[in-house]
Every structure is written in C-alpha cells, then in structure tokens.
Amino acid sequence: MINSGDTAWMLVATALVMVMTPGLGLFYGGMVRSKNVLGTMMHSFMCLGIVSVLWVLFGYSLSFGPDIGGLIGSLDWVGLKGVGLGPGPYSDKVPHLIFCSFQLMFAIITPALITGAYAERMKFSAFVLFTILWSTLVYFPLCHWVWGGGWLGKMGALDFAGGTVIHLNSGVAALAAVLIIGKRKGYHRDPIYPNNLTLTMLGAGLLWFGWFGFNAGSAVASNGVAVLAFFATQIATATAALSWIIFEKIIKKKSTTLGFASGAVAGLVAITPASGFVTPLPAMVIGFVAGMICYFAVLAKDGLGYDDSLDVVGVHGVGGLWGALATGLFASVGGTGLFYGNPHQLYVQVIASLTAIVFSFIMTSIILLVVKKITGLRVEEEEEVQGLDLSMHGETGYYLR
C-alpha cells in the first residue's frame, strides 16, 4: 500500500533536487565574466526544459524500464505509459510517478553540471543539440546500468545517490568537452575574474540545501537510511569546505569565499555515492579528503594545460571518483567495504568507476565531433569577445549607468 509519509517526503525531496539546478545556474553565473552571466545561467534553465521533455517521451523508459540484456531499459514506458499513481517496481510505498519525478531531477542536473566546463564559448545551438544527444546516449544508458537493473547494479556497484552516474560521468564529459572545444580567447593572457561572487555564494547555499533531497531522498522512504544520508551529507560538506580553505590558506596565504563554496560542493559530490552507506566519522574523512584533493586538482589544471572554465573536472570528476572509491572503503550500512571486511566491494567500485570514465569520455567525444559537423561548437571570435549574453541572446545581465 502507498505510504503517505514516504510519499510526502519524496514530494519534498523532488522539489529540493529541482531547486539545485537554478542554484547551479547562480553558482556558475557568478563565476563567469559579466558579459556571459545570462548565457551561463541559461544553460542550467534550458536543461530543466530539454531533459523534462526527453524524460517523458523516452528517457525514463530507457533508464528504468524493464531491462534488456543489462544494457538498456525497454521502450515499454514510452510516454510514461503505465507509470501511474500506484506503486512501481522501485518502491511499493510511493507512487511510481513520484519516483519517476525524483529521478527526472537527477537527469536534469547532470548535463547542466557539464556546462560549467565549456562556459563562455559554446554556441547555444550546439549546447542544445549536445544536451539532447548526451542525455540520450550517455546518461540514460549509464543510469540504467547502475540503478535501472543493468549490469553494474547486478555486479553489486554501490552508488547511493549518483557519484558514478552523475558526478564522475559529468566530470569526465567535461574533460572531453574542454579538450575538443579548446581554450577561451585570451585564457592566461587577459584577466578573467568572477563577475559576482555574491551570486555564487547564494548558488552554493541553494545547492547545499537542495542536496539534502538529493541524498536523503535516494532512500525513497522517510526512514533511518534517509536520516543517515541527511546527516552524512551535512558532515562531509562542512568538513570539505573547511579542508579546502585550510589548504588554500597554506598555499595561497588567504582563505576565500569562493574556496569555501567550492570546497562545500566538493564535499557534496564526494559524499553522494556513500551517503546512505556510511556513518558520520567516515563521512567526515570522505569530506576532508575531498576538500584537499579537489583543491589540488583545480590547481593542477593550469599545469595540465586545459581550460575548464568553472572547475567541473577538478570538483565533480575528481570528487565523484573519490566518492565512488571511498564507498568501497567505508561502507558499513546496507553493504560493507574494505575497512569492514569486504575487499571485493572496492574492486567492484573500481570496475564501475573505470566503466563510467571510459564510456563517458568516448561517447562524449563522439557526440561533440558530430555536433561540430552539424552546427559547429564555438561561437565566432567576435561573438566571444562581445560576450554570449548579447551575441547569443540579445540581452545583458547588468545595465550599469
């Protein structure tokens, strides 16, 4: 029978995850130059529109529909046929449609995360086509492999709320994107500073707030596992933010608001796959390591020579990988990891992570090359100098007099 308490919680959790995407728009929008603030925020809002339509038409069916060979869901639920108000195969306590709605919000934010890597230089038409193709050919299959009854889930891969499916996946896709699209005009020559860190801090706060729905909602019930995921999320995030600014102080001699916000997001990313599987002290360890390694990963990008505009690779790619592997180390609730007597779990997490890395990088690269042939990827040089707000959308974020 449908449980009203569980259903009420899932409605709230779904709304919390939805607000993360506008929060991401604010987070990213504040970090770009003023001439690109609206174009950057537009990417996140467009994902809300594009992916919602894809999800209803075929995305949910491919991701969570009846399994075909461990590789993809069938088309039995196209147009959400049979996805109604009764219980579904993923929970007998909440309506099938609310589970579908909750998972939609995950599908929306994943391609939105990638946009931070190629911010300030991708054509709007290319972004739209890329988002459609990437969601269909990368996110939906990988989601099915882990959560929808596919082969990685059957192998025993643990990903409570999306470390592999969402963050590692988007981080690797971001790396492919920046390597193929190339650097921004004037990168390392002209000053490129955030236009409004107030917006970024507000966005970080909304992401932190919404992430409680992201992780605790993945219990698909109002129960003890949701409580564990909720608290682990808070502890890991707080610790990661402090860790980031500690190392920032050591290296750069100052602790910054952007550093705190970036560290918080790194902690959120890293605890996501482990949140329902670990107790508070391991969550703190996961957060501390995430803040440290993501900070150094961001510092390393200049030496490695790629222009990841808003540090998607360093935060989501590296943080997602650490979180996936840390789950194989610290899991003790609903599964056991290496430190609790089960080394095989770490092996499975490595296989799942490598699969996500290889699949996402290769498929993203192919999709980008196809889009380049069809629409071109980059704006013209004059358009990039002018800024994407005016050149792509005919408007500006700030009218200064």
Side-chain angles (χ1 to χ4, degrees):
M1 295 179 61
I2 298 298
N3 183 290
S4 60
D6 290 341
T7 302
W9 163 237
M10 291 307 298
L11 287 166
V12 171
T14 301
L16 285 170
V17 183
M18 180 273 162
V19 84
M20 289 173 63
T21 300
L24 182 71
L26 291 170
F27 184 75
Y28 281 171
M31 286 195 284
V32 295
R33 288 167 288 185
S34 58
K35 63 184 180 181
N36 295 310
V37 58
L38 291 180
T40 299
M41 294 176 70
M42 182 68 158
H43 288 160
S44 292
F45 280 86
M46 278 295 293
C47 287
L48 280 164
I50 293 170
V51 182
S52 294
V53 172
L54 296 180
W55 197 248
V56 171
L57 294 178
F58 56 81
Y60 182 65
S61 191
L62 292 177
S63 301
F64 290 94
D67 177 57
I68 299 178
L71 297 177
I72 199 69
S74 75
L75 295 177
D76 292 359
W77 297 344
V78 163
L80 299 189
K81 177 184 176 182
V83 180
L85 302 182
Y90 296 95
S91 173
D92 60 358
K93 300 296 184 182
V94 302
H96 193 180
L97 191 59
I98 190 58
F99 178 83
C100 170
S101 302
F102 180 70
Q103 289 295 334
L104 164 61
M105 303 309 165
F106 284 54
I108 288 169
I109 200 170
T110 309
L113 292 171
I114 306 169
T115 66
Y118 54 70
E120 303 194 298
R121 57 200 187 275
M122 184 182 256
K123 293 172 67 173
F124 186 66
S125 57
F127 152 74
V128 171
L129 182 56
F130 171 75
T131 300
I132 293 170
L133 293 175
W134 191 88
S135 297
T136 302
L137 300 176
V138 181
Y139 182 81
F140 299 158
L142 187 57
C143 177
H144 182 79
W145 294 354
V146 177
W147 291 332
W151 68 278
L152 287 175
K154 291 175 181 176
M155 182 186 290
L158 298 179
D159 188 357
F160 192 77
T164 303
V165 176
I166 296 172
H167 298 292
L168 180 57
N169 188 12
S170 62
V172 171
L175 179 60
V178 297
L179 292 177
I180 290 173
I181 295 172
K183 301 174 184 178
R184 287 168 289 180
K185 179 178 173 58
Y187 181 69
H188 273 171
R189 187 188 70 217
D190 302 331
I192 300 178
Y193 297 121
N195 81 90
N196 191 335
L197 286 178
T198 306
L199 280 184
T200 295
M201 294 302 289
L202 175 59
L206 287 172
L207 285 169
W208 194 332
F209 175 67
W211 223 290
F212 291 116
F214 200 80
N215 287 354
S218 293
V220 199
S222 180
N223 59 17
V225 175
V227 172
L228 182 67
F230 190 106
F231 194 71
T233 299
Q234 174 64 22
I235 294 302
T237 305
T239 307
L242 296 176
S243 173
W244 185 295
I245 64 170
I246 287 170
F247 286 99
E248 188 177 47
K249 176 69 172 178
I250 294 170
I251 302 298
K252 299 290 187 178
K253 308 307 179 187
K254 291 185 184 296
S255 298
T256 66
T257 54
L258 179 58
F260 188 94
S262 299
V265 173
L268 290 164
V269 168
I271 197 59
T272 292
S275 56
F277 299 124
V278 300
T279 50
L281 282 178
M284 189 177 292
V285 174
I286 291 171
F288 182 85
V289 174
M292 176 181 65
I293 63 174
C294 290
Y295 174 64
F296 284 108
V298 168
L299 289 183
K301 73 174 182 179
D302 288 339
L304 294 173
Y306 64 89
D307 179 14
D308 175 8
S309 303
L310 307 180
D311 300 321
V312 183
V313 178
V315 173
H316 294 275
V318 173
L321 178 59
W322 161 240
L325 298 179
T327 305
L329 297 173
F330 295 106
S332 62
V333 179
T336 52
L338 174 65
F339 295 153
Y340 293 86
N342 182 19
H344 179 72
Q345 188 61 56
L346 180 59
Y347 166 78
V348 173
Q349 298 302 109
V350 170
I351 295 299
S353 298
L354 289 175
T355 298
I357 290 169
V358 173
F359 177 71
S360 183
F361 189 85
I362 292 175
M363 288 300 297
T364 302
S365 299
I366 293 171
I367 291 167
L368 284 166
L369 293 174
V370 169
V371 173
K372 185 176 182 179
K373 286 288 186 182
I374 297 173
T375 67
L377 288 174
R378 288 189 72 132
V379 296
E380 298 296 330
E381 185 174 320
E382 316 85 72
E383 294 173 324
E384 187 173 343
V385 171
Q386 183 183 39
L388 274 60
D389 289 2
L390 280 172
S391 64
M392 293 289 103
H393 306 291
E395 51 191 352
T396 182
Y398 305 104
Y399 290 93
L400 303 176
R401 297 180 180 180

